[in-house]
Amino acid sequence: MSGTYLGMPAFPAAAASATRDARLRANLRHATHTIRAKRASAVAELADWAELRAAGAAIKDRTLRHLDHYLEQLEAAVTAAGGQVHWAADAAEANRIVTALVRATGERDVVKVKSMATQEIGLNDALAEAGITAYETDLAELIVQLGEDLPSHILVPAIHRNRAEIRDIFAARMARWGRPAPDGLTDVPADLAEAARLHLREKFLRAKVAVSGANFMVAETGTLVVVESEGNGRMCLTLPDTLISVVGIEKVVPTWRDLEVFLQLLPRSSTAERMNPYTSMWTGTTGSKTADGPRAFHLVLLDNGRTDALADTVGRQALRCIRCSACLNVCPVYERAGGHAYGSAYPGPIGAILTPQLRGTQSEVDASLPFASSLCGACYEVCPVAIDIPEILVHLRERVVEGGPVSVRGTRAVVKPAKGHAAERAAMRAAGWALDHPAVLRAGQRLAARTRRLHPRRLPGPGRAWSDTRELPAVPAESFRDWWQRTRGDSAGGGEASAPQRHSGGEADAEEKPK
């Protein structure tokens, strides 16, 4: 994806550090609990939410099955409307295209609309290396940029900062990027917003080039859609002469009727609003110097691992994602560890399944991400397009531990198992063999029962990390098989081979079982 997060430790080490930060945990707890409570209320207003959710998933799946067709239709429509389409196979190619387009205008400054795709490819750093300054205009992204920080949430990139920290950042850093913060700035939200508004207004009025992403692209007309809550996007999309949009290829939808479904799903799942305050749509270029909108429009369609994810019949569900961040707000792991621990532009549960598919699982940090979950399933329950995140996490864990066939840049390849899982593989093979041999399993159970007083409360060696925060369950004095044989074996008429008789309620007709 990009070098932005290179050098970050694997998730367990990063999370261990983050969970010791009391201020970070307090900020995350307050923000995520507030957002998810508002979202639940907004979703409850719609009696047909389940049907909308199913429709969103079906539209995405149909589009992904015919992605080549819809992308070609989109390209033709954008071109017919006066735009120019560029295809980028990876982050490096996308950065080269955007840099060349900005240089061609002769400008050295660009304003940006909040964009996950440009964070993914590390565009700001690439532009800086070419002597071009990118100014973030989303309030949270501005906070992150001024603080020389990294985003930690899809919807609220500065969720890890509180008001006092934001005030200090504005007071110390705004002057380096343009208009300084007002004297005596307080941490009152209205005062902070006004400081940002004054700082950014000068950027909007001077900018000749803007860079955006897009939430959706409508194939039938070549229309791009950005939804946001602050109005900065509208300014960036209408005032500059040149607009460059970097968008993942999975963001295409076939028709306006399909778009209508997502314009209901996204605002309620992300900001808990019935509709977004600003929904900006543009098709190609404006034909007049006095009309709103760009006179030159470039669409950079980004692959960067997406076709490889599409080739995975289980993992391709992740490409349904509409970046609402609902899964982050309910995830107990994200709430405690924060977004930086994931080492990616995409934090939380969706990042744990998307990043390893886009970047592969060969690095230590990427191999650790599928394990950054308790598999509680809360993420699946709130996902507005029904991505079965737990299923994909288990699927990717298998890939990390066992290796196997994958697609790399459109070519089938076989990845080796990640390092550090040899003991796990050996243990699982031994367990599988024992479960296939009942006599061995029974002997092992009896041995464990007879030696239970000698068992440690903590695992040694590699297992220590697991038992540092858990107690090993006590081994019962008698296994269920032995208990059944002793109490019901003869009366059941089949000894060990007979199964417990069940009533209609599904409970075994047996006396109290051993604890």
Side-chain angles (χ1 to χ4, degrees), residues 60-399:
K60 281 288 188 177
D61 285 347
R62 184 189 74 219
T63 306
L64 291 171
R65 285 196 300 271
H66 306 287
L67 187 59
D68 54 343
H69 166 74
Y70 290 119
L71 288 174
E72 290 178 351
Q73 183 183 11
L74 173 73
E75 180 184 29
V78 170
T79 303
Q84 185 174 352
V85 177
H86 311 262
W87 299 82
D90 54 27
E93 185 173 8
N95 287 332
R96 285 196 300 270
I97 291 170
V98 176
T99 300
L101 291 173
V102 177
R103 279 177 166 168
T105 68
E107 296 294 319
R108 286 294 176 262
D109 295 333
V110 301
V111 289
K112 284 188 64 194
V113 186
K114 181 178 180 297
S115 165
M116 297 301 300
T118 59
Q119 291 173 14
E120 174 188 328
I121 64 176
L123 178 61
N124 287 13
D125 291 339
L127 291 175
E129 291 177 2
I132 300 167
T133 303
Y135 295 101
E136 298 288 353
T137 64
D138 174 84
L139 177 56
E141 292 285 4
L142 174 65
I143 295 166
V144 169
Q145 185 175 53
L146 295 179
E148 299 179 354
D149 202 351
L150 292 172
S152 65
H153 191 277
I154 290 175
L155 179 66
V156 193
I159 196 172
H160 55 288
R161 298 290 193 183
N162 60 34
R163 293 184 302 175
E165 292 175 294
I166 295 168
R167 177 201 58 206
D168 293 343
I169 290 172
F170 280 9
R173 305 288 179 83
M174 264 190 173
R176 302 182 191 178
W177 290 80
R179 179 170 178 153
D183 293 335
L185 179 64
T186 72
D187 64 358
V188 175
D191 292 343
L192 296 173
E194 179 65 14
R197 186 180 298 112
L198 294 172
H199 178 81
L200 291 172
R201 185 63 56 88
E202 296 179 354
K203 303 288 191 300
F204 292 135
L205 295 177
R206 290 202 307 261
K208 299 298 182 183
V209 180
V211 175
S212 81
N215 295 96
F216 307 102
M217 303 180 290
V218 183
E220 67 177 352
T221 59
T223 301
L224 273 68
V225 183
V226 164
V227 295
E228 40 109 6
S229 301
E230 299 173 16
N232 64 297
R234 182 72 54 84
M235 302 284 277
C236 290
L237 298 171
T238 56
L239 293 178
D241 295 330
T242 300
L243 174 61
I244 304 167
S245 298
V246 182
V247 191
I249 56 175
E250 82 281 13
K251 295 297 186 69
V252 65
V253 296
T255 68
W256 282 83
R257 290 187 64 184
D258 298 320
L259 176 65
E260 180 264 340
V261 173
F262 297 107
L263 291 183
Q264 294 183 72
L265 290 169
L266 181 55
R268 291 178 186 267
S269 281
S270 57
T271 54
E273 295 169 305
R274 296 181 179 92
M275 65 180 291
N276 286 95
Y278 295 90
T279 300
S280 299
M281 305 177 183
W282 69 99
T283 306
T285 60
T286 181
S288 168
K289 291 185 178 181
T290 59
D292 289 337
R295 293 199 291 273
F297 170 55
H298 299 272
L299 172 59
V300 182
L301 291 172
L302 177 68
D303 186 329
N304 203 35
R306 285 160 175 79
T307 54
D308 293 334
L310 184 61
D312 187 328
T313 56
V314 177
R316 68 174 58 157
Q317 294 179 68
L319 298 179
R320 294 180 196 160
C321 179
I322 58 176
R323 309 292 192 266
C324 70
S325 77
C327 60
L328 281 69
N329 299 326
V330 298
C331 178
V333 177
Y334 174 85
E335 181 184 327
R336 289 156 179 80
H340 293 157
Y342 292 82
S344 162
Y346 302 106
I350 188 61
I353 63 170
L354 185 59
T355 301
Q357 295 192 82
L358 298 182
R359 296 198 306 209
T361 56
Q362 299 311 297
S363 73
E364 186 180 8
V365 64
D366 295 330
S368 71
L369 290 178
F371 300 90
S373 171
S374 65
L375 299 180
C376 68
C379 49
Y380 170 68
E381 294 299 326
V382 299
C383 178
V385 287
I387 302 171
D388 194 340
I389 293 177
E391 177 188 30
I392 304 174
L393 286 167
V394 173
H395 171 67
L396 293 175
R397 289 180 184 186
E398 180 181 5
R399 179 183 299 174

Side-chain angles (χ1 to χ4, degrees), residues 384-454:
V385 287
I387 302 171
D388 194 340
I389 293 177
E391 177 188 30
I392 304 174
L393 286 167
V394 173
H395 171 67
L396 293 175
R397 289 180 184 186
E398 180 181 5
R399 179 183 299 174
V400 170
V401 175
E402 299 290 344
V406 296
S407 175
V408 180
R409 295 292 297 272
T411 302
R412 300 300 292 177
V414 177
V415 297
K416 297 179 180 179
K419 296 179 180 179
H421 294 274
E424 181 181 353
R425 289 194 296 272
M428 291 299 103
R429 292 192 186 105
W433 181 82
L435 291 170
D436 272 344
H437 297 79
V440 174
L441 177 62
R442 185 165 57 251
Q445 289 173 330
R446 289 174 177 170
L447 178 63
R450 290 169 183 168
T451 60
R452 65 185 186 280
R453 299 183 186 279
L454 304 177

